[in-house]
Amino acid sequence: MPGKLKVKIVAGRHLPVMDRASDLTDAFVEVKFGNMTFKTDVYHKSLNPQWNSEWFKFEVDDEDLQDEPLQITVLDHDTYSANDAIGKVYIDIDPLLYSEAATVISGWFPIYDTIHGIRGEINVVVKVDLFNDLNRFRQSSCGVKFFCTTSIPKCYRAVIIHGFVEELVVNEDPEYQWIDRIRTPRASNEARQRLISLMSGELQRKIGLKVLEMRGNAVVGYLQCFDLEGESGLVVRAIGTACTLDKLSSTAAFLPACNSPSKEMKESPLVHPPSHGCRSTHNSPIHTATGSRLTQNFSVSVPTLIYTGMGSGSAGKEGGPFKALLRQQTQSALEQREFPFFTLTAFPPGFLVHVGGVVSARSVKLLDRIHNPDEPETRDAWWAEIRQEIKSHAKALGCHAVVGYSESTSICEEVCILSASGTAAVLNPRFLQDGTVEGCLEQRQEENLPAGCGFCHIPYDELNMPFPAHLTYCYSCRKQKVPDVLFTTIDLPTDATVIGKGCLIQARLCRLKKKAQAEANATAISNLLPFMEYEVHTQLMNKLKLKGMNALFGLRIQITVGENMLMGLASATGVYLTALPTPGGIQIAGKTPNDGSYEQHISHMQKKINDTIAKNKELYEINPPEIPEEIIGSPIPEPRQRSRLLRSQSESSDEVIELDLSHGKKDAFVLEIDDTDAMEDVHSLLTDVPPPSGFYSCNTEIMPGINNWTSEIQMFTSVRVSRLSNINLTNQTLNKNFNDLCENLLKSLYFKLRSMIPCCLCHVNFTVSLPEDELIQVTVTAVAITFDKHQAVQTTKTHVEKSLQRASTDNEELLQFPLELCTDSLGSHPFSPAKATSIDYSSFADRCNSWIELIKLKAQTIRRGSIKTTVSVEKASPLTEGHFRQRSAPACANSTVGVVKMTPLSFIPGAKITKYLGIINMFFIRETTSLREEGGVSGFLHAFIAEVFAMVRAHVAALGGNAVVSYIMKQCVFMENPNKNQAQCLINVSGDAVIFVRESELEIISTQQPIASCQPACGGGEIAT
Amino acid sequence: MTNELDIFVGNTTLIDEDVYRLWLDGYSVSDAVGLRVRSGILEQTGATAGVLQSDTMDHYRTFHMLERLLHTPPKLLHQLVFQIPPSRQALLIERYYAFDEAFVREVLGKKLSKGTKKDLDDISTKTGVTLKSCRRQFDNFKRVFKVVEEMRGSLAGNIQQHFLLSDRLARDYAAVVFFANNRFETGKKKLQYLTFGDLAFCAELMIQNWTPGAVGEQPPDPPPYSQVDDMDVDLDKEFLQDLKELKVLVADKDLLDLHKSLVCTALRGKLSVFPEMEANFKNLSRGLVNIASKLTHTKDVRDLFVDLVEKFIEPCRSDRWPLNDVRLFLNQYSASVHSLDGFRHQALWDRYMVTLRSCLLRMYHD
């Protein structure tokens, strides 16, 4: 009996009228945990009942504590008939189970009913007393911390990064059980919600056990997904990265911890303009395979690009033995692991040594009923197979690890596509083994790690390349080989140097397929997949070149299967990496070059393309410094005839010659318009409209090239469902429709958020689903962050110091990466260096308008009533800032709702996260039988998503938090039946509840932290080395 | 390809002030889109009509969902579904409860019942305010009226507390409620020249001086025998009863003559319309006093403004009294009563005349 759960029901408010006669409600509450139920007294005739109950105590195993949700049901007492349910609240008590997270859950929770939505609120207090349990063979894993964040959380330090953990549990879906025919939709929805809640708890506990086995204490990058397999069941699966994390006890640990890396840095070449000490490695575009059960796992590697002219020669030999040594080390560290995968997308400095390229694998499976839920072997085997595939792809790229790893499924009827993707990489072994910090530092010095460009260097052997690629010497260090383009699924590394800004790049594709059954269907799909994969990559490559960029980060390719079509949507953030060569242009070649008018048409297109490239370069401020020819040294074969494409890429006249030369070497990309398909490709290339001025967008955590964020953020979800006219559907019209749908959606977002300009849409996450034959659903979640156009944060003078600080602080530093640019290319510096030497905080303060003051005050109100935290946190919290006064507007006078920020990013601009309160993982179902009355499908879903946000915020506030970071809407399954006036929607969201403190306040409190005062966007309390 | 579903939900609810205004003004989505297009927004932002349509729909849907909460503004503050910054909440409420001058003049003093609602169609046609907007404004009046009707304490204060309106708007609503409760006639043709501002000004003075709440500070715990009547909404019945006593000012011929001579002496040479004043004094005085003495009848209370215009303002206006002369006259007219030895109701007279004088001066314009 290692735990005691205590629950107190305080009050309710805004309850619905349940008794028409009196216009009032006789409400009481049932509190259920496991098999035990308590009830409050009935509070007669009130819509704002004050139960003020005793403490209900549940004595339970910690295993149950982890698995079971606390279930609170509000009912209306009825003397003569059955009591009517008003609604429920499920509370995940997991955050109370580890010592560093929340100590109490207390606050107003929306009372939720799957048919009526939110119906009033209830005030609940929950506490857990845990007793120490010394039983080594226990089944629980209390104490293991979970984070959705895909980087090392801000107030922690990674001691060891152990590696991949995965688990899946299966069950029958209550919606498809026989009993569902006789029970109400409400009962069925609630059974489903409860089951999924239970399964998530169980899954989390099991993963926790695995982490404990690995001697870790946390899971970072935890991603849990549901597969609604319909008849064949319900699968809940999760992956994550096991770590041993150390809490950074803010002030005490701060100084020593920050000094040592700084000292080290001064001696290392890291901070100098990267010009030496590079080794060779390399990238691949993408390595893919599709397999299907039916065809005995055939595996197709798809070359994505038409590369002509391959790098040859044997430069980089000096790096050879060194590379081998490193590989050996890493290998030993990784080889014990079945799958050397990491779900992280951002890493402690020095962790990532080389990046090979994207690896992905897909497999088409036929679903059948899961016969024994206790042994989910088939599903396990499926995933194991795919992971094996990924692992071997990574090996082929000369890499031992896969980072930025993720898995997904797409299900249509009985066919399921399993997908996995990640970035093959070579990692620094020091994070993977037990070792002291000192040891690591020494090792690091020996290694003489290059800065900024190291990760771009190819990890594979250039004489034995896994695919055709075009290598040159690194444009930063000139010592090692780099590929001409780099695709990855991770965020841009902190130390990467880029030129200009990045941008969102999407490839969109539809392919019709015949309706078919079972095996025939699966075969058809697996036959289509390689082609889709190929085309998606071609599109990505074209668009990347059109933008004048040479690398993609955060690449995510989603293939969605429907009844009669397949959809592919790839999103990534394009950047220009200084280490990689300038991308060549795009050349259009006609099939019948002798036809005069045709020729003219082609040259017209060519001009348009060239103009677009030039325009894009200007737009994204891509003006790389010119590199003298000699330095590059060229083991590169003579280009073919490509004179045509070399024109008009640049506007500055003295650049022209250089550009021409480099283009010549670069082996430009040739598009042959030999059929209508290709014609259409070219057109679609040119139809992508850049965002309006003042707007930027990316799908990574932060926008490369923007670092002066201000504090205003707006997270949003937008959903569109489009109906295709089903006559004469062709691939072309489908593609156009889909393209328009996405483009229009983006345009709408830009329009809606125009008041935030200048701003950047970050972490733009598109999901496509095909709920019915002619319906395409696109869901977008992103966050808009404002930035200060005029405030350049860094200066050339203090560059060195700054990078010291940078390196010693943490991943928050991601914001700061353009620092390095300054020394490299003073002339082409994208930001005005005018306002250089110090950071001006006054404009920050100006932006802290009345609302933010109010936020502080509100948060205070909430906290006061609820939580005790450690003194240090209390000090740093926004809540003690009593001197902020509310404005006199009457509407503000007695508001008690605290503001909770939500963001898909792992940080909050201009603020420091002081505490992680636990993971939020919520699943809701909403159903209606009066669709028209609720405003049609749009009204229904709009209200539901707003309610989901509200419930997430309420849970965070109850934990004592004021924000959710790494928020993600993992599923939004919408089904409608307008004829029956019905609709149903399932939403699954997750994120990390945190407490953050505004940087401006932090300064007042901790003036002894010098670093914090230099950099508005980073905390300064965290060290990751 | 058509969008079946198209939504945007922000963690902070986006409020577009321009669209909110269009919604409040009762325009349909397509009309609103048309108006927005004409405002030149497409050129400014480079958006397409489709984008504008989707944006407008979205805002309308949000407003529709918020409307339920706006009916009880404190709920808007405590609800959890829409995260809205307080300044925006205040704006939403204030704008929702704002009303059109043209509309309020039509319904001011009318009973806020269903029957009147049927007339909204006509009002809409007459005023050019859309029917939808008329409905909202009318429902707002009715809702506020219902909530504060039975409440003790300051009328404007109660309104402000329950509807979180700005001071100014709360006082306007107090006037609307006061007029509706006392059913003052304001729709007659000869009253058309009066603005809502004029009438609200009068209402405020009457609330201050002529209601039971006006007699000194009310103790926080009223003794059991005190009136549990509405404090600010109804006129003070006792006061109206007492006003009959003023009749002596015109009924007693000596008193009337004395009063006239006092006023004339004081004003001689100071008024440009002195002869006219002298000639009309008795008529005017009779008018003002008779109005007071008749206020015990509900019918006459309703006609208060009609009477004021007929008995005082019109005669003065036909003789082309300048406003300043009217002021001098009314000041002297009220003050001179204090010198009438035979008259014992000085306090009552002041309570009546101070308010009436201010009302008349405000109402005295073309």
Side-chain angles (χ1 to χ4, degrees):
Chain A
M1 197 238 356
K4 194 190 270 176
L5 170 69
K6 299 190 290 181
V7 184
K8 183 180 180 133
I9 307 296
V10 183
R13 67 183 183 195
H14 305 152
L15 295 189
V17 170
M18 298 299 283
D19 178 6
R20 287 263 159 256
S22 66
D23 264 3
L24 288 168
T25 297
D26 302 320
F28 70 100
V29 183
E30 270 183 17
V31 183
K32 190 174 175 196
F33 190 82
N35 298 320
M36 249 198 292
T37 307
F38 291 100
K39 281 181 192 175
T40 66
D41 297 332
V42 177
Y43 195 93
H44 287 283
K45 303 206 179 307
S46 172
L47 299 182
N48 299 292
Q50 304 289 319
W51 292 289
N52 236 329
S53 78
E54 58 188 295
W55 285 101
F56 300 126
K57 295 185 179 107
F58 301 88
E59 294 180 340
V60 276
D61 285 345
D62 49 1
E63 191 182 332
D64 285 342
L65 278 174
Q66 285 192 294
D67 287 8
E68 294 272 349
L70 175 66
Q71 186 180 324
I72 293 167
T73 314
V74 186
L75 299 113
D76 177 52
H77 176 74
D78 206 324
T79 321
Y80 303 107
S81 61
N83 299 324
D84 297 321
I86 295 173
K88 286 186 189 241
V89 179
Y90 291 97
I91 300 176
D92 180 9
I93 49 172
D94 217 49
L96 296 179
L97 302 183
Y98 26 94
S99 48
E100 289 156 41
T103 53
V104 66
I105 299 177
S106 166
W108 289 100
F109 291 89
I111 303 167
Y112 181 73
D113 178 70
T114 59
I115 306 294
H116 293 103
I118 290 179
R119 305 172 96 189
E121 291 119 36
I122 184 168
N123 195 320
V124 182
V125 186
V126 186
K127 287 181 180 175
V128 172
D129 290 338
L130 270 186
F131 310 126
N132 277 334
D133 185 10
L134 299 174
N135 179 7
R136 286 180 53 221
F137 304 103
R138 58 186 185 163
Q139 286 300 297
S140 86
S141 54
C142 288
V144 174
K145 292 178 282 285
F146 285 80
F147 300 92
C148 294
T149 302
T150 56
S151 54
I152 302 304
K154 302 291 179 266
C155 31
Y156 292 90
R157 184 178 70 98
V159 181
I160 314 166
I161 298 174
H162 299 280
F164 193 58
V165 278
E166 48 78 27
E167 186 63 79
L168 68 80
V169 292
V170 298
N171 211 315
E172 270 187 277
D173 191 336
E175 185 112 329
Y176 293 88
Q177 283 165 343
W178 66 268
I179 193 170
D180 204 58
R181 291 185 199 149
I182 54 167
R183 65 182 168 190
T184 61
R186 175 182 284 121
S188 157
N189 291 340
E190 282 173 2
R192 245 175 147 186
Q193 283 191 170
R194 201 184 119 71
L195 177 70
I196 289 189
S197 196
L198 256 173
M199 288 168 79
S200 316
E202 184 191 340
L203 194 68
Q204 216 168 310
R205 175 173 58 82
K206 286 186 169 170
I207 292 232
L209 282 172
K210 290 191 174 178
V211 173
L212 290 177
E213 248 168 58
M214 298 165 100
R215 297 181 184 280
N217 64 2
V219 182
V220 179
Y222 185 65
L223 177 71
Q224 191 193 65
C225 291
F226 301 98
D227 296 331
L228 300 168
E229 295 186 350
E231 289 282 334
S232 56
L234 189 64
V235 177
V236 184
R237 57 191 164 79
I239 54 174
T241 305
C243 294
T244 302
L245 298 184
D246 242 8
K247 176 117 174 111
L248 292 167
S249 49
S250 49
T251 346
F254 180 76
L255 285 173
C258 121
N259 280 346
S260 55
S262 310
K263 204 170 69 198
E264 174 233 343
M265 298 285 208
K266 264 177 207 149
E267 291 148 14
S268 82
L270 272 184
V271 282
H272 303 303
S275 57
H276 58 276
C278 293
R279 274 178 334 278
S280 120
T281 4
H282 99 65
N283 123 85
S284 109
I286 285 176
H287 217 60
T288 323
T290 36
S292 131
R293 195 180 58 162
L294 306 158
T295 48
Q296 285 96 44
N297 285 331
F298 70 86
S299 172
V300 187
S301 282
V302 185
T304 18
L305 303 168
I306 316 159
Y307 279 106
T308 47
M310 268 179 39
S312 63
S314 57
K317 255 183 190 156
E318 31 133 8
F322 200 42
K323 187 158 65 178
L325 185 74
L326 187 72
R327 194 171 291 168
Q328 228 168 28
Q329 275 180 354
T330 324
Q331 198 155 8
S332 63
L334 286 169
E335 234 154 39
Q336 306 123 9
R337 292 185 190 116
E338 192 184 3
F339 297 115
F341 297 170
F342 300 86
T343 54
L344 303 180
T345 58
F347 310 92
F351 182 73
L352 200 62
V353 181
H354 302 302
V355 168
V358 170
V359 284
S360 80
R362 289 179 211 282
S363 161
V364 184
K365 300 290 184 191
L366 273 185
L367 299 172
D368 51 0
R369 188 169 281 278
I370 299 168
H371 295 291
N372 183 3
D374 293 331
E375 292 185 3
E377 278 149 351
T378 3
R379 302 300 185 272
D380 267 339
W382 289 356
W383 285 111
E385 209 172 78
I386 288 217
R387 288 171 192 143
Q388 206 60 54
E389 194 96 43
I390 290 277
K391 193 177 168 183
S392 66
H393 286 327
K395 272 224 173 85
L397 290 176
C399 298
H400 297 284
V402 176
V403 293
Y405 179 73
S406 67
E407 296 175 346
S408 63
T409 58
S410 171
I411 298 171
C412 179
E413 303 288 320
E414 56 198 341
V415 176
C416 174
I417 303 182
L418 309 184
S419 309
S421 73
T423 305
V426 174
L427 304 178
N428 188 327
R430 72 195 164 98
F431 285 98
L432 308 170
Q433 298 156 343
D434 244 319
T436 57
V437 180
E438 284 75 25
C440 295
L441 292 180
E442 281 164 35
Q443 196 174 9
R444 190 169 176 181
Q445 273 169 329
E446 284 166 27
E447 283 170 23
N448 227 3
L449 271 180
C453 59
F455 76 96
C456 305
H457 302 160
I458 53 167
Y460 37 84
D461 187 346
E462 68 200 77
L463 295 173
N464 189 14
M465 286 200 293
F467 49 83
H470 185 124
L471 302 181
T472 47
Y473 281 105
C474 173
Y475 275 53
S476 285
C477 64
R478 325 252 186 268
K479 295 268 165 83
Q480 305 298 317
K481 289 289 182 68
V482 292
D484 60 350
V485 279
L486 184 62
F487 283 14
T488 74
T489 57
I490 55 172
D491 276 336
L492 190 72
T494 354
D495 50 359
T497 57
V498 296
I499 289 176
K501 296 190 166 67
C503 74
L504 179 71
I505 290 178
Q506 285 195 321
R508 304 153 187 146
L509 186 70
C510 303
R511 281 292 167 267
L512 285 169
K513 77 170 182 63
K514 288 213 176 68
K515 278 193 189 180
Q517 291 301 308
E519 310 219 336
N521 194 16
T523 315
I525 292 168
S526 43
N527 286 341
L528 269 175
L529 280 178
F531 296 98
M532 295 201 57
E533 203 93 48
Y534 174 81
E535 282 189 48
V536 162
H537 293 139
T538 312
Q539 251 190 58
L540 279 175
M541 187 60 85
N542 287 345
K543 289 189 177 177
L544 183 68
K545 286 187 181 289
L546 201 66
K547 294 280 193 291
M549 298 176 184
N550 57 19
L552 286 181
F553 287 89
L555 176 64
R556 190 168 158 265
I557 303 173
Q558 197 196 354
I559 304 261
T560 310
V561 58
E563 285 274 282
N564 56 351
M565 62 177 107
L566 284 173
M567 295 250 163
L569 180 67
S571 306
T573 302
V575 295
Y576 186 104
L577 285 175
T578 8
L580 301 191
T582 314
I586 299 171
Q587 188 193 13
I588 297 180
K591 199 181 181 184
T592 48
N594 296 327
D595 183 343
S597 67
Y598 189 66
E599 191 84 323
Q600 199 181 358
H601 175 67
I602 286 192
S603 76
H604 176 68
M605 295 270 272
Q606 182 69 59
K607 187 175 174 332
K608 255 170 103 178
I609 285 180
N610 292 345
D611 289 351
T612 314
I613 294 177
K615 218 183 288 166
N616 280 330
K617 280 189 173 173
E618 198 180 322
L619 181 65
Y620 299 107
E621 295 159 16
I622 299 167
N623 35 9
E626 284 314 310
I627 291 153
E629 188 51 29
E630 317 82 66
I631 300 179
I632 297 172
S634 53
I636 292 140
E638 278 301 297
R640 298 190 209 150
Q641 278 275 317
R642 287 193 205 295
S643 51
R644 216 171 357 166
L645 133 139
L646 307 176
R647 278 171 307 181
S648 72
Q649 305 281 319
S650 161
E651 294 183 338
S652 103
S653 56
D654 47 300
E655 267 179 43
V656 172
I657 305 161
E658 289 292 337
L659 265 181
D660 276 7
L661 283 170
S662 59
H663 273 294
K665 281 197 304 290
K666 205 106 318 120
D667 182 29
F669 200 55
V670 188
L671 267 184
E672 288 204 0
I673 352 181
D674 47 1
D675 57 17
T676 43
D677 264 14
M679 204 63 178
E680 179 208 343
D681 285 349
V682 174
H683 275 299
S684 72
L685 268 185
L686 295 168
T687 51
D688 276 11
V689 191
S693 96
F695 259 113
Y696 293 93
S697 54
C698 63
N699 77 331
T700 45
E701 281 254 304
I702 39 92
M703 177 70 167
I706 299 179
N707 59 353
N708 38 357
W709 303 107
T710 47
S711 53
E712 196 186 339
I713 64 170
Q714 166 71 291
M715 188 280 298
F716 59 84
T717 292
S718 185
V719 184
R720 278 196 186 180
V721 176
S722 258
R723 186 174 289 279
L724 303 161
S725 46
N726 53 349
I727 31 160
N728 291 332
L729 269 186
T730 62
N731 282 337
Q732 278 83 10
T733 53
L734 252 181
N735 273 339
K736 189 177 175 324
N737 281 335
F738 184 41
N739 217 21
D740 289 350
L741 178 61
C742 294
E743 281 292 314
N744 287 335
L745 187 46
L746 280 170
K747 274 185 212 156
S748 267
L749 298 180
Y750 297 139
F751 181 75
K752 281 208 167 283
L753 298 162
R754 65 193 184 283
S755 65
M756 293 180 79
I757 287 177
C759 100
C760 178
L761 297 187
C762 293
H763 213 285
V764 177
N765 187 8
F766 273 68
T767 346
V768 183
S769 52
L770 299 162
E772 271 172 57
D773 265 17
E774 283 103 33
L775 292 184
I776 306 178
Q777 178 191 329
V778 178
T779 311
V780 187
T781 299
V783 62
I785 311 182
T786 55
F787 63 91
D788 192 342
K789 219 188 206 160
H790 307 290
Q791 193 184 0
V793 179
Q794 65 305 67
T795 130
T796 358
K797 260 193 176 175
T798 52
H799 168 62
V800 173
E801 298 158 40
K802 282 278 171 67
S803 30
L804 285 180
Q805 288 157 0
R806 263 188 70 247
S808 65
T809 43
D810 194 352
N811 330 31
E812 266 182 53
E813 291 296 322
L814 282 170
L815 303 186
Q816 304 292 325
F817 52 78
L819 273 169
E820 280 90 56
L821 286 180
C822 338
T823 31
D824 281 349
S825 51
L826 198 55
S828 64
H829 194 271
F831 300 103
S832 110
K835 217 181 170 191
T837 28
S838 73
I839 294 119
D840 183 7
Y841 265 94
S842 62
S843 67
F844 255 86
D846 289 346
R847 290 197 174 239
C848 292
N849 53 19
S850 60
W851 189 28
I852 289 159
E853 289 167 24
L854 283 167
I855 293 169
K856 292 166 193 157
L857 204 74
K858 301 262 190 47
Q860 191 173 17
T861 337
I862 283 205
R863 273 288 283 296
R864 236 182 229 148
S866 52
I867 302 189
K868 256 184 267 165
T869 34
T870 61
V871 181
S872 63
V873 173
E874 199 71 54
K875 255 185 192 164
S877 78
L879 319 166
T880 44
E881 297 285 308
H883 60 271
F884 288 104
R885 279 281 151 255
Q886 281 174 314
R887 300 277 157 95
S888 61
C892 320
N894 46 3
S895 173
T896 55
V897 182
V899 170
V900 175
K901 298 220 172 202
M902 291 169 76
T903 171
L905 309 179
S906 65
F907 68 97
I908 292 174
K912 180 174 155 51
I913 293 169
T914 54
K915 194 171 183 187
Y916 282 79
L917 299 165
I919 199 170
I920 297 279
N921 187 10
M922 299 169 95
F923 177 80
F924 299 103
I925 302 178
R926 179 85 155 77
E927 189 165 348
T928 184
T929 48
S930 49
L931 189 58
R932 270 186 299 278
E933 294 77 359
E934 294 190 35
V937 285
S938 294
F940 170 73
L941 195 60
H942 191 150
F944 182 39
I945 291 178
E947 286 177 341
V948 169
F949 286 1
M951 287 184 276
V952 170
R953 288 192 303 256
H955 276 78
V956 172
L959 286 168
N962 55 7
V964 193
V965 296
S966 301
Y967 167 82
I968 174 174
M969 183 178 280
K970 288 176 293 193
Q971 230 142 6
C972 177
V973 184
F974 178 73
M975 287 157 289
E976 57 169 325
N977 190 342
N979 298 330
K980 284 188 174 168
N981 207 17
Q982 288 174 342
Q984 192 193 35
C985 186
L986 296 81
I987 286 182
N988 177 214
V989 296
S990 65
D992 294 325
V994 300
I995 299 176
F996 74 86
V997 185
R998 286 256 157 252
E999 203 107 308
S1000 43
E1001 288 154 45
L1002 203 63
E1003 264 173 78
I1004 304 163
I1005 297 153
S1006 54
T1007 35
Q1008 75 271 28
Q1009 297 185 12
I1011 285 170
S1013 61
C1014 318
Q1015 298 191 343
C1018 86
E1022 316 92 306
I1023 292 93
T1025 35
Chain B
M1 189 161 86
T2 49
N3 283 339
E4 293 240 313
L5 183 157
D6 179 1
I7 56 159
F8 175 98
V9 191
N11 182 38
T12 304
T13 307
L14 280 185
I15 309 286
D16 186 309
E17 289 184 42
D18 298 333
V19 184
Y20 189 48
R21 189 167 292 285
L22 293 170
W23 178 74
L24 288 174
D25 287 345
Y27 291 105
S28 69
V29 174
S30 54
D31 289 349
V33 171
L35 286 165
R36 293 183 82 187
V37 168
R38 251 168 281 156
S39 79
I41 195 163
L42 295 187
E43 290 75 27
Q44 282 163 33
T45 59
T48 61
V51 165
L52 204 59
Q53 167 84 19
S54 136
D55 180 67
T56 312
M57 287 276 279
D58 220 55
H59 283 300
Y60 266 54
R61 204 164 36 239
T62 308
F63 299 141
H64 182 73
M65 286 191 261
L66 286 170
E67 190 165 20
R68 193 175 45 87
L69 297 162
L70 283 165
H71 290 167
T72 37
K75 265 195 192 162
L76 183 69
L77 264 65
H78 290 105
Q79 54 83 31
L80 302 176
V81 178
F82 302 96
Q83 185 159 273
I84 305 171
S87 61
R88 288 267 141 170
Q89 288 179 345
L91 177 127
L92 284 173
I93 297 167
E94 193 77 3
R95 295 255 176 99
Y96 188 77
Y97 282 90
F99 47 79
D100 290 315
E101 166 86 22
F103 175 80
V104 72
R105 279 299 280 112
E106 290 299 319
V107 294
L108 199 64
K110 284 190 183 148
K111 200 175 173 190
L112 300 172
S113 67
K114 279 227 169 81
T116 319
K117 193 161 180 177
K118 287 194 189 105
D119 304 335
L120 288 178
D121 270 330
D122 302 335
I123 295 177
S124 168
T125 327
K126 192 175 161 192
T127 59
V129 177
T130 60
L131 182 62
K132 242 185 182 167
S133 179
C134 288
R135 285 244 163 80
R136 169 181 61 82
Q137 299 181 36
F138 185 79
D139 289 344
N140 283 344
F141 291 162
K142 210 165 110 182
R143 197 176 317 110
V144 172
F145 183 85
K146 270 199 161 168
V147 168
V148 299
E149 188 183 20
E150 309 275 316
M151 244 172 227
R152 295 176 50 82
S154 149
L155 183 54
N158 285 337
I159 293 171
Q160 193 163 24
Q161 193 191 335
H162 286 88
F163 292 92
L164 309 174
L165 304 179
S166 69
D167 200 40
R168 179 67 257 157
L169 193 56
R171 280 191 280 159
D172 285 350
Y173 265 90
V176 170
V177 170
F178 187 72
F179 267 82
N181 188 57
N182 292 291
R183 311 275 302 282
F184 291 116
E185 173 64 63
T186 65
K188 282 259 166 64
K189 200 157 181 218
K190 55 182 61 162
L191 295 184
Q192 283 307 312
Y193 80 99
L194 291 172
T195 64
F196 172 73
D198 298 337
L199 296 167
F201 177 85
C202 300
E204 199 174 341
L205 285 172
M206 290 196 264
I207 292 168
Q208 271 168 23
N209 299 312
W210 290 1
T211 59
V215 199
E217 288 281 301
Q218 287 296 310
D221 281 315
Y225 54 82
S226 89
Q227 273 182 311
V228 193
D229 237 13
D230 305 335
M231 302 298 292
D232 260 2
V233 184
D234 293 318
L235 293 170
D236 185 348
K237 294 218 173 64
E238 236 170 281
F239 165 66
L240 298 181
Q241 199 64 40
D242 293 345
L243 284 177
K244 280 187 188 282
E245 307 290 341
L246 299 181
K247 194 140 197 184
V248 70
L249 283 174
V250 289
D252 184 330
K253 200 169 175 324
D254 296 343
L255 216 50
L256 181 60
D257 287 337
L258 184 56
H259 191 189
K260 180 179 173 182
S261 68
L262 281 170
V263 172
C264 289
T265 320
L267 292 178
R268 192 178 306 274
K270 291 181 183 155
L271 291 191
S272 60
V273 289
F274 187 78
E276 290 89 340
M277 188 276 285
E278 199 170 19
N280 258 335
F281 182 86
K282 286 186 182 172
N283 272 341
L284 292 175
S285 185
R286 232 175 252 129
L288 292 177
V289 173
N290 282 338
I291 289 172
S293 59
K294 284 194 302 176
L295 282 178
T296 41
H297 306 290
T298 328
K299 170 78 180 67
D300 291 303
V301 170
R302 286 185 196 174
D303 284 340
L304 175 68
F305 289 92
V306 182
D307 291 341
L308 288 175
V309 169
E310 276 179 358
K311 299 282 157 46
F312 185 86
I313 290 174
E314 281 183 343
C316 295
R317 211 193 268 148
S318 67
D319 286 341
R320 299 176 187 286
W321 290 33
L323 178 61
N324 202 41
D325 286 5
V326 178
R327 179 175 296 118
L328 285 170
F329 168 74
L330 283 174
N331 285 347
Q332 201 52 49
Y333 176 74
S334 337
S336 305
V337 170
H338 297 289
S339 315
L340 298 174
D341 289 335
F343 186 66
R344 288 174 294 118
H345 308 285
Q346 303 293 354
L348 183 66
W349 173 253
D350 279 349
R351 187 176 176 192
Y352 175 64
M353 263 327 276
V354 165
T355 302
L356 202 70
R357 186 185 59 204
S358 302
C359 291
L360 287 170
L361 286 173
R362 173 80 191 221
M363 290 160 70
Y364 192 78
H365 61 83
D366 291 328

